[in-house]
C-alpha cells in the first residue's frame, strides 16, 4: 500500500514536470539598446527598449545610427527680428519659433534650426547658448515656443538679411 502511494506521488510529480520547452519559448524580456548618432559635428545618445526572447544575449556595445528625426513635426516662425545697431555697438538677432508635436505621445530631443543669410550661407545649430526656452521636451499634442535672443559686436560683418529656412527635431529618448 505504501509502495503504491509512493509510486502514484512519484508518477504525479514527474508527470507535472514537462520536457517541452513551451514555457521557455514564451519567455520574453525587455532590453535597452544603447545607440548614438552624430549631427552637426556633435554626438548624441539615443536609447530604445525592445522586448526580445529570454535567450537573446544582452547588448554590449552602443550602435551608431542615423539621426532620428521626428517626421510628424512642424513649426511656425512667430517673430524674427534683426536690430542692426542696438546703441550698444552690437547687432541683435531675436526670434521665437512655435514647435508643434502632433503625436499622441510626448517627445524629448533637440531642435535644430537652419538659418540662411542673404549671401546664401546656411548655418544649422541648436543655438543652445542663447536660447532661453529650449523646448527639449514637448507633451503629446502640444506645442512649445523656443526663444532666441543674442547680441554680437558690430565689429563683425552684419548680414543684410537672415531667414529661418528649416527646423528639425532630433529625438534623444
Amino acid at each position: 500500500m505504501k509502495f503504491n502511494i509512493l509510486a502514484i506521488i512519484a508518477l504525479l510529480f514527474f508527470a507535472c514536470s514537462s520536457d517541452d520547452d513551451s514555457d521557455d519559448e514564451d519567455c520574453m524580456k525587455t532590453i535597452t539598446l544603447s545607440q548614438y548618432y552624430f549631427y552637426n559635428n556633435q554626438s548624441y545618445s539615443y536609447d530604445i527598449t525592445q522586448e526580445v526572447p529570454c535567450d537573446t544575449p544582452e547588448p554590449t556595445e552602443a550602435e551608431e545610427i542615423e539621426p532620428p528625426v521626428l517626421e510628424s513635426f512642424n513649426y511656425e516662425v512667430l517673430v524674427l527680428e534683426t536690430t542692426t545697431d542696438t546703441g550698444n555697438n552690437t547687432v541683435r538677432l531675436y526670434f521665437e519659433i512655435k514647435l508643434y508635436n502632433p503625436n499622441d505621445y510626448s517627445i524629448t530631443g533637440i531642435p535644430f534650426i537652419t538659418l540662411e543669410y542673404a549671401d546664401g550661407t546656411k548655418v544649422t545649430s541648436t543655438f543652445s547658448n542663447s536660447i532661453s526656452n529650449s523646448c527639449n521636451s514637448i507633451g503629446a499634442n502640444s506645442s512649445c515656443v523656443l526663444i532666441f535672443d543674442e547680441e554680437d559686436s558690430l565689429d563683425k560683418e552684419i548680414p543684410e538679411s537672415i531667414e529661418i529656412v528649416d527646423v528639425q527635431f532630433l529625438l534623444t529618448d
Side-chain angles (χ1 to χ4, degrees):
M1 178 86 166
K2 288 181 186 179
F3 179 72
N4 287 342
I5 292 175
L6 285 175
I8 292 172
I9 292 173
L11 183 62
L12 287 174
F13 178 75
F14 288 111
C16 289
S17 66
S18 172
D19 286 333
D20 72 44
D21 293 331
S22 64
D23 289 343
D24 291 342
E25 290 174 9
D26 294 338
C27 177
M28 299 295 280
K29 66 180 180 179
T30 301
I31 61 172
T32 300
L33 300 173
S34 294
Q35 301 174 325
Y36 65 95
Y37 60 89
F38 292 96
Y39 188 81
N40 207 23
N41 295 323
Q42 291 184 330
S43 172
Y44 299 93
S45 62
Y46 182 71
D47 294 341
I48 61 169
T49 57
Q50 269 187 343
E51 192 167 315
V52 296
C54 287
D55 60 353
T56 302
E58 292 290 326
T60 56
E61 290 186 19
E63 176 186 1
E64 184 175 354
I65 60 170
E66 289 295 314
V69 177
L70 183 64
E71 297 296 330
S72 58
F73 168 79
N74 51 51
Y75 66 94
E76 177 185 358
V77 177
L78 302 174
V79 178
L80 176 58
E81 296 175 350
T82 304
T83 308
T84 55
D85 187 358
T86 63
N88 299 325
N89 198 33
T90 60
V91 60
R92 178 179 179 234
L93 176 61
Y94 177 85
F95 58 78
E96 295 179 10
I97 304 172
K98 191 171 195 175
L99 309 178
Y100 295 98
N101 174 19
N103 298 297
D104 292 339
Y105 52 88
S106 294
I107 57 172
T108 302
I110 304 161
F112 277 85
I113 303 152
T114 302
L115 302 178
E116 184 172 5
Y117 297 92
D119 66 359
T121 303
K122 289 185 180 179
V123 175
T124 300
S125 177
T126 61
F127 298 98
S128 60
N129 292 339
S130 299
I131 289 183
S132 60
N133 188 15
S134 62
C135 296
N136 289 334
S137 295
I138 305 173
N141 300 305
S142 295
S143 63
C144 177
V145 177
L146 181 142
I147 301 170
F148 175 90
D149 193 3
E150 181 176 83
E151 289 187 34
D152 274 329
S153 170
L154 280 175
D155 297 337
K156 295 181 179 181
E157 185 177 331
I158 301 170
E160 291 177 30
S161 69
I162 298 174
E163 183 181 348
I164 297 171
V165 293
D166 192 27
V167 179
Q168 291 186 323
F169 196 88
L170 278 75
L171 299 169
T172 57
D173 276 336

